[in-house]
Amino acid sequence: MPGSTTRRIVFLAYEDMNLLDLAGPLQAFATANRLGQAAGATLPYDTVVASVGGGSVMSSAGLAVDTRALATLDGTDIDTLIVAGGCKGEEFTVCPDLVDWIARHAAGARRVCSVCSGAFVLAATGQLDGRRVATHWAWAERLQQRHPQVRVDADALFIQDGALWTSAGVTAGIDMSLALIEADHGHQIAIQTARQLVMFIKRAGGQSQFSVPLATQARDDGNFASLHSWIAGHIDQDLGVARLAQMATCRCAPSCASTPPRWAARRPRPSRRSAWKRPAGRWNRAPCP
């Protein structure tokens, strides 16, 4: 594993945070550590989960997380700060003590990151002023309204703007973490981590790529769920009526909002200009060099 420096990654937790916003990125770095240990290298990361007061912090999922008090980190070297997102209800309330701590320590970190609505916390510190940032699509408009000086991109999975990294909701935090690992230790370590997590290392497109298939499945009674899934995985192949009829397991039900060809026409194609492209094939194949 390239490099011999152990980087300290501090995850900032608070009451009612989204559990996966914390656990997903945390597991990505833990997996990179396990790969480094197996290779006989210095552990690449020292991960710390911290909160204002320390102790047990309850997530919105009802699972408590053990944390260190932020005060115990004063005077220590911090490579990367990652703020989890999430809250209960439809109004994001920022913890003033957490905002104050970030404002005092962000300049000393090499990178500052947020997952999902954790962008509200960073925005309250002024870290996002004039920057292009990502957040969960459901919170993008509210973030823009509360902080008009921030340039919110409602479609991006994650965005790097210098030392600032922000991601969309939930699983997009894992996408961002894989990119952070790749920036630190190269493509091979990142792709090995992604394979262990059963993840694509670089997903094509943005958050909007999920809107059409998910909205269609929400309206479907289940008769065409498998066909929709097959179309999504074969979007660049023959989707003529004969082929779709061959793949379908039942006739079109009245609940299906559109014909399969019309649904496929609305399915976004991966952009050739995207910097983060889905690799060909499945992870059970050998990775590209």
Side-chain angles (χ1 to χ4, degrees):
M1 180 173 288
S4 58
T5 302
T6 298
R7 296 176 168 89
R8 171 165 287 180
I9 312 295
V10 175
F11 295 88
L12 300 178
Y14 51 86
E15 291 291 325
D16 296 327
M17 66 182 172
N18 183 300
L19 183 61
L20 193 53
D21 283 359
L22 171 70
L26 179 61
Q27 184 59 57
F29 289 105
T31 298
N33 271 350
R34 184 163 61 84
L35 291 170
Q37 189 173 35
T42 300
L43 286 181
Y45 299 109
D46 170 29
T47 57
V48 176
V49 180
S51 65
V52 171
S56 180
V57 173
M58 186 63 68
S59 70
S60 60
L63 182 66
V65 176
D66 191 33
T67 69
R68 284 178 54 176
L70 288 176
T72 66
L73 297 174
D74 290 346
T76 64
D77 292 331
I78 298 174
D79 180 84
T80 304
L81 287 173
I82 301 180
V83 186
C87 67
K88 280 191 175 179
E90 297 301 315
E91 188 67 26
F92 193 94
T93 302
V94 175
C95 172
D97 290 337
L98 182 58
V99 169
D100 179 66
W101 189 90
I102 295 173
R104 289 186 287 109
H105 291 81
R110 183 170 66 96
R111 297 180 297 210
V112 177
C113 316
S114 66
V115 179
C116 192
S117 53
F120 280 85
V121 180
L122 291 186
T125 70
Q127 297 289 320
L128 305 188
D129 290 359
R131 313 292 284 274
R132 176 171 165 260
V133 305
T135 190
H136 192 290
W137 61 266
W139 289 95
E141 184 176 353
R142 280 170 282 186
L143 178 62
Q144 188 68 81
Q145 291 174 348
R146 186 182 297 188
H147 299 281
Q149 68 276 26
V150 177
R151 296 184 291 127
V152 181
D153 186 333
D155 188 48
L157 287 175
F158 66 88
I159 294 172
Q160 178 191 4
D161 187 346
L164 175 69
W165 296 65
T166 54
S167 82
V170 199
T171 57
I174 305 177
D175 291 281
M176 181 180 71
S177 299
L178 290 171
L180 292 170
I181 293 168
E182 183 173 27
D184 291 341
H185 298 288
H187 180 70
Q188 286 302 317
I189 297 302
I191 202 171
Q192 290 174 34
T193 302
R195 291 184 68 181
Q196 291 296 318
L197 297 174
V198 197
M199 287 278 296
F200 286 109
I201 187 172
K202 298 174 182 178
R203 286 193 280 177
Q207 296 186 69
S208 62
Q209 70 178 311
F210 306 107
S211 59
V212 171
L214 293 181
T216 304
Q217 290 173 24
R219 292 192 299 266
D220 193 4
D221 64 359
N223 290 332
F224 272 89
S226 60
L227 181 58
H228 289 153
S229 178
W230 183 87
I231 292 172
H234 300 79
I235 200 68
D236 58 344
Q237 298 183 16
D238 174 21
L239 298 179
V241 173
R243 179 61 169 154
L244 293 175
Q246 179 184 5
M247 298 306 301
T249 57
C250 64
R251 295 184 179 181
C252 185
S255 61
C256 187
S258 65
T259 64
R262 288 176 181 171
W263 181 88
R266 299 201 307 273
R267 171 74 180 173
R269 266 65 172 177
S271 170
R272 293 183 179 272
R273 299 174 60 189
S274 173
W276 303 97
K277 295 183 180 180
R278 181 190 300 271
R282 299 180 182 271
W283 283 119
N284 57 2
R285 299 178 182 175
C288 297

